[in-house]
Amino acid sequence: ALDRWEAVKRSTKNQETFTQTLESVPKAFPALMRAQKVQKRAAKAGFDWSEMSGALEKVKEEADELLWATEKTAVEELGDLLFSVVNVSRFLGIDSELALQKATDKFTSRFAGVEALATQRGLDMKTASLAELDALWDEVKQRNSR
């Protein structure tokens, strides 16, 4: 029944191929949302991992490729990595846009904690070593996890 419904939807939108369904996802959407919708439509065409482990392996593969990327290929390889991470979020049923927003908010909050600790301890963040700042980060993270 679902296959028939998808066929009817494609027909009413004059979409004869699965590629046309992917291409119809608006490019004006936020990138993470667009990637998730494109992947969902590709999955409906049967182009999908059977398990999340395949998607996670792809993330590792893309991360390795990014390590070896040249200045010329870095943008493409980073995009591939992000696209793969979105695929994992789709398997988990997590909105990747929301997940990234939450992670950014969490980072901002922890950063504020690091800055407050640095100020309390008389550390200048611009001249402090990364090891010092990372130690403050771990302290803030520990306090927030209680």
Short mmCIF file of all heavy atoms in Angstrom, two decimals, residues 37-98:
data_model
loop_
_atom_site.label_atom_id
_atom_site.label_comp_id
_atom_site.label_asym_id
_atom_site.label_seq_id
_atom_site.Cartn_x
_atom_site.Cartn_y
_atom_site.Cartn_z
N LYS A 37 16.03 14.76 4.02
CA LYS A 37 14.89 14.48 3.14
C LYS A 37 15.34 13.73 1.88
O LYS A 37 14.66 12.80 1.43
CB LYS A 37 14.17 15.77 2.78
CG LYS A 37 13.38 16.34 3.95
CD LYS A 37 12.54 17.52 3.53
CE LYS A 37 11.72 18.06 4.68
NZ LYS A 37 10.69 17.16 5.17
N VAL A 38 16.46 14.12 1.31
CA VAL A 38 16.98 13.43 0.13
C VAL A 38 17.29 11.98 0.47
O VAL A 38 16.94 11.05 -0.27
CB VAL A 38 18.22 14.16 -0.43
CG1 VAL A 38 19.00 13.28 -1.40
CG2 VAL A 38 17.80 15.46 -1.12
N GLN A 39 17.93 11.75 1.61
CA GLN A 39 18.27 10.39 2.00
C GLN A 39 17.02 9.54 2.26
O GLN A 39 16.98 8.36 1.91
CB GLN A 39 19.16 10.41 3.24
CG GLN A 39 20.54 10.95 2.96
CD GLN A 39 21.37 11.09 4.21
OE1 GLN A 39 21.00 10.65 5.29
NE2 GLN A 39 22.53 11.71 4.07
N LYS A 40 16.01 10.16 2.85
CA LYS A 40 14.76 9.43 3.11
C LYS A 40 14.12 9.00 1.80
O LYS A 40 13.64 7.87 1.66
CB LYS A 40 13.81 10.32 3.91
CG LYS A 40 12.54 9.64 4.34
CD LYS A 40 11.68 10.57 5.19
CE LYS A 40 10.39 9.90 5.57
NZ LYS A 40 9.52 10.82 6.33
N ARG A 41 14.15 9.89 0.81
CA ARG A 41 13.57 9.55 -0.49
C ARG A 41 14.40 8.50 -1.21
O ARG A 41 13.86 7.62 -1.88
CB ARG A 41 13.40 10.81 -1.33
CG ARG A 41 12.31 11.71 -0.76
CD ARG A 41 12.09 12.94 -1.59
NE ARG A 41 11.08 13.79 -0.95
CZ ARG A 41 10.59 14.88 -1.50
NH1 ARG A 41 11.01 15.27 -2.69
NH2 ARG A 41 9.71 15.61 -0.86
N ALA A 42 15.71 8.57 -1.09
CA ALA A 42 16.57 7.55 -1.70
C ALA A 42 16.29 6.19 -1.05
O ALA A 42 16.28 5.16 -1.74
CB ALA A 42 18.04 7.94 -1.56
N ALA A 43 16.06 6.20 0.26
CA ALA A 43 15.76 4.95 0.97
C ALA A 43 14.46 4.33 0.46
O ALA A 43 14.35 3.11 0.35
CB ALA A 43 15.67 5.22 2.47
N LYS A 44 13.48 5.19 0.14
CA LYS A 44 12.21 4.67 -0.39
C LYS A 44 12.41 4.00 -1.74
O LYS A 44 11.61 3.16 -2.14
CB LYS A 44 11.19 5.80 -0.51
CG LYS A 44 10.64 6.25 0.82
CD LYS A 44 9.63 7.37 0.66
CE LYS A 44 9.10 7.81 2.01
NZ LYS A 44 8.15 8.92 1.88
N ALA A 45 13.48 4.36 -2.43
CA ALA A 45 13.80 3.73 -3.71
C ALA A 45 14.64 2.46 -3.51
O ALA A 45 15.05 1.83 -4.48
CB ALA A 45 14.56 4.72 -4.60
N GLY A 46 14.92 2.13 -2.24
CA GLY A 46 15.70 0.93 -1.95
C GLY A 46 17.19 1.19 -1.81
O GLY A 46 17.96 0.27 -1.58
N PHE A 47 17.61 2.46 -1.92
CA PHE A 47 19.03 2.80 -1.83
C PHE A 47 19.33 3.21 -0.39
O PHE A 47 19.29 4.39 -0.03
CB PHE A 47 19.35 3.93 -2.81
CG PHE A 47 20.82 4.14 -3.03
CD1 PHE A 47 21.53 3.28 -3.84
CD2 PHE A 47 21.48 5.20 -2.45
CE1 PHE A 47 22.89 3.46 -4.06
CE2 PHE A 47 22.84 5.40 -2.66
CZ PHE A 47 23.55 4.52 -3.47
N ASP A 48 19.61 2.21 0.45
CA ASP A 48 19.81 2.46 1.87
C ASP A 48 20.56 1.29 2.49
O ASP A 48 20.54 0.18 1.98
CB ASP A 48 18.45 2.62 2.55
CG ASP A 48 18.52 3.36 3.87
OD1 ASP A 48 19.59 3.87 4.23
OD2 ASP A 48 17.47 3.44 4.54
N TRP A 49 21.20 1.56 3.61
CA TRP A 49 21.84 0.50 4.38
C TRP A 49 20.74 -0.32 5.05
O TRP A 49 19.70 0.21 5.41
CB TRP A 49 22.75 1.10 5.46
CG TRP A 49 23.80 2.01 4.94
CD1 TRP A 49 23.82 3.37 4.99
CD2 TRP A 49 25.00 1.64 4.26
NE1 TRP A 49 24.94 3.86 4.38
CE2 TRP A 49 25.69 2.81 3.92
CE3 TRP A 49 25.56 0.42 3.88
CZ2 TRP A 49 26.90 2.81 3.25
CZ3 TRP A 49 26.77 0.42 3.22
CH2 TRP A 49 27.43 1.60 2.91
N SER A 50 21.01 -1.60 5.27
CA SER A 50 20.02 -2.43 5.96
C SER A 50 20.07 -2.19 7.46
O SER A 50 19.09 -2.40 8.16
CB SER A 50 20.25 -3.92 5.66
OG SER A 50 21.56 -4.29 6.05
N GLU A 51 21.23 -1.71 7.94
CA GLU A 51 21.41 -1.45 9.38
C GLU A 51 22.22 -0.17 9.56
O GLU A 51 22.98 0.23 8.67
CB GLU A 51 22.16 -2.60 10.05
CG GLU A 51 21.43 -3.91 10.02
CD GLU A 51 22.24 -5.03 10.66
OE1 GLU A 51 23.34 -4.75 11.18
OE2 GLU A 51 21.76 -6.17 10.63
N MET A 52 22.11 0.42 10.73
CA MET A 52 22.85 1.64 11.02
C MET A 52 24.36 1.42 10.98
O MET A 52 25.12 2.34 10.67
CB MET A 52 22.45 2.20 12.39
CG MET A 52 23.09 3.55 12.67
SD MET A 52 22.61 4.29 14.23
CE MET A 52 23.32 3.15 15.39
N SER A 53 24.81 0.21 11.25
CA SER A 53 26.25 -0.05 11.25
C SER A 53 26.88 0.27 9.90
O SER A 53 28.02 0.75 9.84
CB SER A 53 26.53 -1.51 11.63
OG SER A 53 25.92 -2.39 10.70
N GLY A 54 26.16 0.05 8.82
CA GLY A 54 26.67 0.41 7.49
C GLY A 54 26.85 1.91 7.36
O GLY A 54 27.85 2.39 6.82
N ALA A 55 25.89 2.66 7.89
CA ALA A 55 25.99 4.12 7.85
C ALA A 55 27.15 4.61 8.71
O ALA A 55 27.86 5.54 8.33
CB ALA A 55 24.67 4.74 8.30
N LEU A 56 27.36 3.98 9.86
CA LEU A 56 28.48 4.37 10.73
C LEU A 56 29.82 4.06 10.08
O LEU A 56 30.77 4.83 10.20
CB LEU A 56 28.37 3.66 12.09
CG LEU A 56 27.38 4.27 13.06
CD1 LEU A 56 27.18 3.37 14.27
CD2 LEU A 56 27.83 5.66 13.50
N GLU A 57 29.91 2.93 9.41
CA GLU A 57 31.15 2.59 8.69
C GLU A 57 31.44 3.64 7.61
O GLU A 57 32.59 3.99 7.37
CB GLU A 57 31.06 1.19 8.07
CG GLU A 57 31.28 0.08 9.05
CD GLU A 57 32.64 0.14 9.74
OE1 GLU A 57 33.67 0.38 9.06
OE2 GLU A 57 32.67 -0.04 10.97
N LYS A 58 30.39 4.12 6.97
CA LYS A 58 30.55 5.14 5.94
C LYS A 58 31.08 6.44 6.56
O LYS A 58 31.92 7.12 5.96
CB LYS A 58 29.21 5.39 5.22
CG LYS A 58 29.33 6.24 3.99
CD LYS A 58 30.16 5.55 2.92
CE LYS A 58 30.11 6.29 1.61
NZ LYS A 58 31.00 5.72 0.61
N VAL A 59 30.63 6.77 7.77
CA VAL A 59 31.14 7.95 8.47
C VAL A 59 32.64 7.81 8.68
O VAL A 59 33.41 8.74 8.41
CB VAL A 59 30.41 8.17 9.82
CG1 VAL A 59 31.12 9.22 10.68
CG2 VAL A 59 28.96 8.59 9.58
N LYS A 60 33.07 6.63 9.15
CA LYS A 60 34.50 6.39 9.36
C LYS A 60 35.28 6.51 8.05
O LYS A 60 36.36 7.10 8.01
CB LYS A 60 34.72 5.00 9.98
CG LYS A 60 34.21 4.88 11.39
CD LYS A 60 34.36 3.44 11.89
CE LYS A 60 33.63 3.25 13.19
NZ LYS A 60 33.63 1.84 13.62
N GLU A 61 34.74 5.93 7.00
CA GLU A 61 35.38 5.99 5.69
C GLU A 61 35.54 7.45 5.23
O GLU A 61 36.61 7.84 4.76
CB GLU A 61 34.55 5.21 4.67
CG GLU A 61 35.07 5.26 3.25
CD GLU A 61 34.09 4.62 2.27
OE1 GLU A 61 33.50 3.57 2.61
OE2 GLU A 61 33.92 5.18 1.18
N GLU A 62 34.49 8.22 5.38
CA GLU A 62 34.53 9.62 4.94
C GLU A 62 35.48 10.45 5.81
O GLU A 62 36.16 11.35 5.32
CB GLU A 62 33.13 10.24 4.93
CG GLU A 62 32.17 9.60 3.93
CD GLU A 62 32.60 9.72 2.47
OE1 GLU A 62 33.52 10.50 2.15
OE2 GLU A 62 32.00 9.01 1.64
N ALA A 63 35.54 10.15 7.11
CA ALA A 63 36.48 10.84 8.00
C ALA A 63 37.92 10.55 7.57
O ALA A 63 38.77 11.45 7.54
CB ALA A 63 36.26 10.42 9.45
N ASP A 64 38.20 9.29 7.22
CA ASP A 64 39.54 8.93 6.73
C ASP A 64 39.87 9.67 5.44
O ASP A 64 40.99 10.15 5.25
CB ASP A 64 39.64 7.42 6.50
CG ASP A 64 39.72 6.64 7.79
OD1 ASP A 64 40.01 7.23 8.85
OD2 ASP A 64 39.47 5.41 7.75
N GLU A 65 38.89 9.77 4.55
CA GLU A 65 39.12 10.48 3.29
C GLU A 65 39.39 11.96 3.54
O GLU A 65 40.22 12.57 2.85
CB GLU A 65 37.93 10.30 2.34
CG GLU A 65 37.83 8.90 1.78
CD GLU A 65 36.65 8.69 0.84
OE1 GLU A 65 36.03 9.68 0.41
OE2 GLU A 65 36.35 7.52 0.56
N LEU A 66 38.74 12.52 4.53
CA LEU A 66 38.98 13.93 4.86
C LEU A 66 40.39 14.14 5.38
O LEU A 66 41.03 15.15 5.08
CB LEU A 66 37.95 14.42 5.89
CG LEU A 66 38.04 15.89 6.30
CD1 LEU A 66 37.90 16.81 5.08
CD2 LEU A 66 36.99 16.21 7.34
N LEU A 67 40.90 13.16 6.12
CA LEU A 67 42.29 13.26 6.61
C LEU A 67 43.29 13.38 5.47
O LEU A 67 44.33 14.04 5.62
CB LEU A 67 42.64 12.03 7.46
CG LEU A 67 42.09 11.98 8.88
CD1 LEU A 67 42.39 10.63 9.51
CD2 LEU A 67 42.70 13.11 9.70
N TRP A 68 43.00 12.75 4.36
CA TRP A 68 43.91 12.74 3.23
C TRP A 68 43.54 13.76 2.15
O TRP A 68 44.19 13.82 1.10
CB TRP A 68 43.99 11.33 2.63
CG TRP A 68 44.52 10.36 3.61
CD1 TRP A 68 43.83 9.42 4.33
CD2 TRP A 68 45.87 10.25 4.06
NE1 TRP A 68 44.65 8.74 5.17
CE2 TRP A 68 45.92 9.22 5.03
CE3 TRP A 68 47.06 10.92 3.74
CZ2 TRP A 68 47.10 8.86 5.68
CZ3 TRP A 68 48.23 10.54 4.39
CH2 TRP A 68 48.24 9.52 5.34
N ALA A 69 42.54 14.55 2.42
CA ALA A 69 42.07 15.51 1.41
C ALA A 69 43.10 16.60 1.17
O ALA A 69 43.84 16.99 2.07
CB ALA A 69 40.75 16.14 1.86
N THR A 70 43.11 17.07 -0.04
CA THR A 70 43.95 18.21 -0.39
C THR A 70 43.13 19.47 -0.21
O THR A 70 41.91 19.42 0.03
CB THR A 70 44.40 18.12 -1.86
OG1 THR A 70 43.23 18.21 -2.70
CG2 THR A 70 45.13 16.82 -2.15
N GLU A 71 43.77 20.60 -0.32
CA GLU A 71 43.03 21.86 -0.21
C GLU A 71 41.92 21.92 -1.24
O GLU A 71 40.84 22.44 -0.98
CB GLU A 71 44.01 23.03 -0.41
CG GLU A 71 43.41 24.38 -0.13
CD GLU A 71 44.43 25.49 -0.23
OE1 GLU A 71 45.57 25.31 0.23
OE2 GLU A 71 44.07 26.55 -0.78
N LYS A 72 42.17 21.32 -2.39
CA LYS A 72 41.19 21.33 -3.48
C LYS A 72 39.98 20.43 -3.20
O LYS A 72 38.87 20.73 -3.61
CB LYS A 72 41.90 20.89 -4.77
CG LYS A 72 41.07 21.00 -6.02
CD LYS A 72 41.90 20.64 -7.25
CE LYS A 72 41.08 20.76 -8.50
NZ LYS A 72 41.86 20.44 -9.70
N THR A 73 40.20 19.32 -2.49
CA THR A 73 39.12 18.35 -2.27
C THR A 73 38.50 18.41 -0.87
O THR A 73 37.55 17.68 -0.60
CB THR A 73 39.61 16.91 -2.54
OG1 THR A 73 40.65 16.60 -1.60
CG2 THR A 73 40.11 16.75 -3.96
N ALA A 74 39.03 19.25 0.01
CA ALA A 74 38.59 19.26 1.41
C ALA A 74 37.10 19.60 1.54
O ALA A 74 36.40 18.99 2.35
CB ALA A 74 39.43 20.23 2.23
N VAL A 75 36.61 20.57 0.77
CA VAL A 75 35.20 20.95 0.88
C VAL A 75 34.30 19.77 0.51
O VAL A 75 33.33 19.47 1.21
CB VAL A 75 34.88 22.19 0.00
CG1 VAL A 75 33.39 22.43 -0.10
CG2 VAL A 75 35.58 23.41 0.54
N GLU A 76 34.64 19.10 -0.57
CA GLU A 76 33.85 17.95 -1.00
C GLU A 76 33.89 16.83 0.03
O GLU A 76 32.86 16.24 0.36
CB GLU A 76 34.35 17.45 -2.35
CG GLU A 76 33.56 16.28 -2.89
CD GLU A 76 34.07 15.79 -4.24
OE1 GLU A 76 34.76 16.55 -4.95
OE2 GLU A 76 33.77 14.63 -4.57
N GLU A 77 35.07 16.55 0.55
CA GLU A 77 35.20 15.46 1.52
C GLU A 77 34.49 15.79 2.83
O GLU A 77 33.86 14.92 3.44
CB GLU A 77 36.67 15.14 1.78
CG GLU A 77 37.41 14.58 0.58
CD GLU A 77 36.81 13.31 0.00
OE1 GLU A 77 36.05 12.59 0.70
OE2 GLU A 77 37.11 13.00 -1.16
N LEU A 78 34.55 17.04 3.26
CA LEU A 78 33.82 17.43 4.47
C LEU A 78 32.31 17.31 4.24
O LEU A 78 31.58 16.83 5.11
CB LEU A 78 34.18 18.86 4.89
CG LEU A 78 33.47 19.36 6.15
CD1 LEU A 78 33.76 18.48 7.36
CD2 LEU A 78 33.86 20.80 6.42
N GLY A 79 31.86 17.71 3.07
CA GLY A 79 30.44 17.56 2.73
C GLY A 79 30.01 16.10 2.76
O GLY A 79 28.93 15.78 3.28
N ASP A 80 30.85 15.22 2.23
CA ASP A 80 30.54 13.78 2.26
C ASP A 80 30.44 13.28 3.70
O ASP A 80 29.56 12.47 4.03
CB ASP A 80 31.61 12.99 1.51
CG ASP A 80 31.59 13.22 0.01
OD1 ASP A 80 30.62 13.82 -0.50
OD2 ASP A 80 32.57 12.82 -0.66
N LEU A 81 31.35 13.75 4.56
CA LEU A 81 31.32 13.34 5.96
C LEU A 81 30.04 13.82 6.63
O LEU A 81 29.35 13.06 7.33
CB LEU A 81 32.55 13.89 6.69
CG LEU A 81 32.62 13.63 8.20
CD1 LEU A 81 32.58 12.15 8.51
CD2 LEU A 81 33.87 14.28 8.77
N LEU A 82 29.69 15.08 6.43
CA LEU A 82 28.46 15.61 7.02
C LEU A 82 27.23 14.86 6.51
O LEU A 82 26.32 14.54 7.28
CB LEU A 82 28.32 17.11 6.72
CG LEU A 82 29.33 18.02 7.42
CD1 LEU A 82 29.26 19.42 6.84
CD2 LEU A 82 29.11 18.03 8.91
N PHE A 83 27.20 14.58 5.21
CA PHE A 83 26.08 13.85 4.62
C PHE A 83 25.96 12.46 5.26
O PHE A 83 24.86 12.00 5.56
CB PHE A 83 26.29 13.74 3.10
CG PHE A 83 25.07 13.31 2.35
CD1 PHE A 83 24.07 14.21 2.02
CD2 PHE A 83 24.92 11.99 1.94
CE1 PHE A 83 22.93 13.82 1.32
CE2 PHE A 83 23.80 11.59 1.22
CZ PHE A 83 22.80 12.51 0.91
N SER A 84 27.09 11.82 5.51
CA SER A 84 27.08 10.50 6.15
C SER A 84 26.58 10.57 7.59
O SER A 84 25.85 9.68 8.04
CB SER A 84 28.49 9.89 6.11
OG SER A 84 28.90 9.68 4.79
N VAL A 85 26.97 11.61 8.30
CA VAL A 85 26.50 11.78 9.68
C VAL A 85 24.99 12.00 9.71
O VAL A 85 24.29 11.47 10.57
CB VAL A 85 27.26 12.93 10.39
CG1 VAL A 85 26.62 13.28 11.73
CG2 VAL A 85 28.73 12.56 10.58
N VAL A 86 24.47 12.75 8.74
CA VAL A 86 23.02 12.95 8.64
C VAL A 86 22.33 11.61 8.42
O VAL A 86 21.26 11.36 8.97
CB VAL A 86 22.68 13.95 7.51
CG1 VAL A 86 21.19 13.96 7.22
CG2 VAL A 86 23.15 15.35 7.88
N ASN A 87 22.95 10.74 7.67
CA ASN A 87 22.36 9.42 7.43
C ASN A 87 22.24 8.64 8.74
O ASN A 87 21.23 7.97 8.98
CB ASN A 87 23.21 8.64 6.40
CG ASN A 87 22.41 7.59 5.68
OD1 ASN A 87 21.19 7.56 5.71
ND2 ASN A 87 23.12 6.73 5.00
N VAL A 88 23.25 8.74 9.59
CA VAL A 88 23.19 8.06 10.89
C VAL A 88 22.04 8.66 11.72
O VAL A 88 21.28 7.91 12.35
CB VAL A 88 24.54 8.18 11.65
CG1 VAL A 88 24.41 7.66 13.07
CG2 VAL A 88 25.64 7.43 10.90
N SER A 89 21.90 9.98 11.69
CA SER A 89 20.81 10.60 12.45
C SER A 89 19.45 10.11 11.96
O SER A 89 18.53 9.91 12.75
CB SER A 89 20.90 12.13 12.40
OG SER A 89 20.49 12.64 11.16
N ARG A 90 19.35 9.90 10.66
CA ARG A 90 18.09 9.40 10.09
C ARG A 90 17.79 7.99 10.62
O ARG A 90 16.66 7.68 10.99
CB ARG A 90 18.17 9.39 8.56
CG ARG A 90 16.87 9.05 7.87
CD ARG A 90 17.03 9.12 6.36
NE ARG A 90 18.07 8.24 5.85
CZ ARG A 90 17.93 6.93 5.65
NH1 ARG A 90 16.79 6.34 5.91
NH2 ARG A 90 18.92 6.22 5.19
N PHE A 91 18.83 7.15 10.70
CA PHE A 91 18.65 5.80 11.24
C PHE A 91 18.19 5.85 12.70
O PHE A 91 17.43 5.00 13.14
CB PHE A 91 19.94 4.99 11.15
CG PHE A 91 20.01 4.12 9.94
CD1 PHE A 91 20.64 4.57 8.79
CD2 PHE A 91 19.44 2.86 9.92
CE1 PHE A 91 20.70 3.78 7.65
CE2 PHE A 91 19.49 2.06 8.79
CZ PHE A 91 20.12 2.52 7.66
N LEU A 92 18.67 6.84 13.44
CA LEU A 92 18.30 6.97 14.85
C LEU A 92 16.96 7.67 15.04
O LEU A 92 16.47 7.76 16.17
CB LEU A 92 19.40 7.75 15.60
CG LEU A 92 20.74 7.05 15.72
CD1 LEU A 92 21.79 8.01 16.26
CD2 LEU A 92 20.63 5.80 16.59
N GLY A 93 16.40 8.17 13.94
CA GLY A 93 15.14 8.89 14.05
C GLY A 93 15.31 10.26 14.69
O GLY A 93 14.39 10.78 15.31
N ILE A 94 16.49 10.83 14.54
CA ILE A 94 16.81 12.12 15.14
C ILE A 94 16.89 13.17 14.04
O ILE A 94 17.53 12.96 13.01
CB ILE A 94 18.16 12.05 15.89
CG1 ILE A 94 18.04 11.08 17.08
CG2 ILE A 94 18.61 13.43 16.35
CD1 ILE A 94 19.36 10.79 17.76
N ASP A 95 16.25 14.30 14.27
CA ASP A 95 16.33 15.42 13.35
C ASP A 95 17.73 16.01 13.45
O ASP A 95 18.11 16.55 14.50
CB ASP A 95 15.27 16.47 13.73
CG ASP A 95 15.26 17.67 12.83
OD1 ASP A 95 16.33 18.16 12.45
OD2 ASP A 95 14.15 18.15 12.51
N SER A 96 18.52 15.90 12.40
CA SER A 96 19.92 16.34 12.44
C SER A 96 20.04 17.84 12.67
O SER A 96 20.98 18.30 13.33
CB SER A 96 20.65 15.93 11.17
OG SER A 96 19.97 16.40 10.03
N GLU A 97 19.10 18.61 12.16
CA GLU A 97 19.10 20.06 12.37
C GLU A 97 18.96 20.37 13.86
O GLU A 97 19.72 21.17 14.42
CB GLU A 97 17.96 20.71 11.57
CG GLU A 97 18.04 22.20 11.46
CD GLU A 97 19.07 22.69 10.46
OE1 GLU A 97 19.32 22.04 9.45
OE2 GLU A 97 19.63 23.78 10.72
N LEU A 98 18.00 19.73 14.51
CA LEU A 98 17.78 19.92 15.93
C LEU A 98 18.98 19.44 16.74
O LEU A 98 19.40 20.10 17.70
CB LEU A 98 16.51 19.18 16.37
CG LEU A 98 16.13 19.26 17.85
CD1 LEU A 98 15.87 20.71 18.27
CD2 LEU A 98 14.91 18.40 18.12
#
